[in-house]
Amino acid sequence: MAIMTLGRSGKKTVSSRPNLPVRVNLAAWYRYRVGVTNISGAASAWADQSGNNRPLLQATASARPSVRSDGALVFDGSNDAMAAAFTLAQPLTIYLAFQQLTWTSGDILLDGSTGTVKVSQATGSPGLTANAGSSLTNNTSIPLTSPGVFAFVANGTSSVYQAAGGAASVTVTGDAGANTAGGITLGSDRSAGNFSNIAVFEMAVYSVAHDAPTRLSILRYLARKAHVGGVT
């Protein structure tokens, strides 16, 4: 259950305490405001809450995302990234609650660790495209600078990208390719390039292809974390 509180501004805010509704086949879970190692205002590690001990790490101080006052991790679009290498093959489902702070064609929000399984800025602002070897249709449902949520099901010819940014979610389907992720990179591609300027609230990774009702339940949970309304 979401818990409503009054913030310093007097406005109602949603607590980060609502719990992830699906735990079966959970490969990694990076929870909002939980498990972040904060060194001088920047995150060197984000602990995995799935129980699988797969933390996102960044050893280089100058390449660590900053910790924003609301607890989100801000990747600067210049050299910030975090990564975790672990066994992760298709089918898989990745969920992200985030903001695009700026938009540059080709910048990558997340990727695999050993293989390309990515969501990138493409075609035109604020467009995002999912790709695991082949690109799905571009999606523009999350406005620039607004918080949003998405699910990327990488499952070959049965792949799905579903996103929402304050209105009904938009879903695209098709063949996204058959690449093996081998883990997760956040804020750039797996080769430390194409850095994106984003703020990240929470991410969950599953080693299974989720169906529509399951995706919707998790997207609604994440929407409460990122203050995104109207996810249907």
Side-chain angles (χ1 to χ4, degrees):
M1 177 181 294
I3 299 175
M4 301 302 297
T5 61
L6 285 178
R8 291 181 179 178
S9 65
K11 295 180 180 179
K12 288 184 178 180
T13 60
V14 180
S15 167
S16 60
R17 290 174 58 186
N19 216 344
L20 190 66
V22 178
R23 302 293 186 92
V24 178
N25 296 307
L26 182 60
W29 178 24
Y30 309 102
R31 191 175 185 183
Y32 184 37
R33 293 177 175 169
V34 176
V36 173
T37 301
N38 186 336
I39 300 176
S40 301
S44 64
W46 196 357
D48 172 20
Q49 304 301 311
S50 72
N52 293 318
N53 191 26
R54 294 164 171 169
L56 287 167
L57 302 172
Q58 179 51 264
T60 302
S62 62
R64 292 170 181 162
S66 61
V67 181
R68 201 165 66 182
S69 60
D70 64 354
L73 300 191
V74 177
F75 296 78
D76 65 5
S78 177
N79 67 339
D80 290 354
M82 304 183 83
F86 54 90
T87 301
L88 184 63
Q90 295 196 33
L92 61 90
T93 308
I94 303 171
Y95 296 88
L96 192 72
F98 71 108
Q99 286 174 282
Q100 296 186 91
L101 301 177
T102 62
W103 190 98
T104 301
S105 182
D107 283 358
I108 294 176
L109 280 63
L110 61 82
D111 198 1
S113 179
T114 61
T116 297
V117 178
K118 65 183 180 180
V119 175
S120 60
Q121 296 175 332
T123 304
S125 180
L128 294 172
T129 298
N131 181 306
S134 299
S135 291
L136 295 179
T137 302
N138 186 260
N139 182 294
T140 59
S141 60
I142 301 175
L144 190 64
T145 74
S146 295
V149 294
F150 70 66
F152 176 25
V153 180
N155 189 26
T157 58
S158 300
S159 296
V160 180
Y161 177 82
Q162 182 176 359
S169 64
V170 176
T171 301
V172 296
T173 61
D175 184 0
N179 287 349
T180 294
I184 288 291
T185 303
L186 189 59
S188 75
D189 66 26
R190 60 191 175 88
S191 301
N194 298 299
F195 297 92
S196 58
N197 183 204
I198 58 174
V200 175
F201 299 97
E202 188 159 339
M203 179 167 63
V205 183
Y206 293 82
S207 56
V208 68
H210 278 163
D211 60 16
T214 304
R215 292 196 308 272
L216 185 58
S217 71
I218 297 171
L219 288 172
R220 284 175 170 168
Y221 156 79
L222 289 174
R224 293 196 294 272
K225 296 299 187 77
H227 308 290
V228 179
V231 177
T232 58

